[in-house]
Amino acid sequence: MTDDQNLTDNQVSRRRFLRLGAAAGGGAVLGIASIGSASAETAKVAKQTVSYQGTPKGQARCATCSFFQAPSSCNYVNGPINPSGWCMLYHAKS
């Protein structure tokens, strides 16, 4: 019999604990690596999803948003963006 078989259900051998810890640590490293590469490319959403409109909302407009990419795109919204437009993701440039 192995050490693992001699233990009751509530006990864990040091050997099994180390094996499980090594497996969990390896899985965590792979998970973190995949998260890092996934966040490098942000998925864009449809204009309807963020209530995009082609006109400004007060002083708020795409041209003054930190997500706007001149001349006519956005980091988060799909398709061409009017610099005078607005959506609910608006975040003023600092």
Side-chain angles (χ1 to χ4, degrees), residues 10-53:
N10 294 332
Q11 296 176 324
V12 178
S13 71
R14 183 174 7 152
R15 181 176 296 152
R16 184 164 184 190
F17 176 78
L18 292 173
R19 281 186 204 150
L20 292 173
V29 168
L30 290 175
I32 290 170
S34 67
I35 289 171
S37 63
S39 65
E41 294 183 27
T42 304
K44 293 189 175 189
V45 298
K47 291 178 180 180
Q48 298 83 359
T49 305
V50 293
S51 303
Y52 173 82
Q53 61 190 37

Side-chain angles (χ1 to χ4, degrees), residues 23-89:
V29 168
L30 290 175
I32 290 170
S34 67
I35 289 171
S37 63
S39 65
E41 294 183 27
T42 304
K44 293 189 175 189
V45 298
K47 291 178 180 180
Q48 298 83 359
T49 305
V50 293
S51 303
Y52 173 82
Q53 61 190 37
T55 57
K57 185 173 185 179
Q59 297 295 321
R61 61 187 71 232
C62 294
T64 62
C65 178
S66 60
F67 305 130
F68 182 70
Q69 299 294 313
S72 62
S73 66
C74 175
N75 291 341
Y76 298 105
V77 181
N78 211 0
I81 302 297
N82 182 350
S84 296
W86 176 88
C87 81
M88 59 193 276
L89 296 177

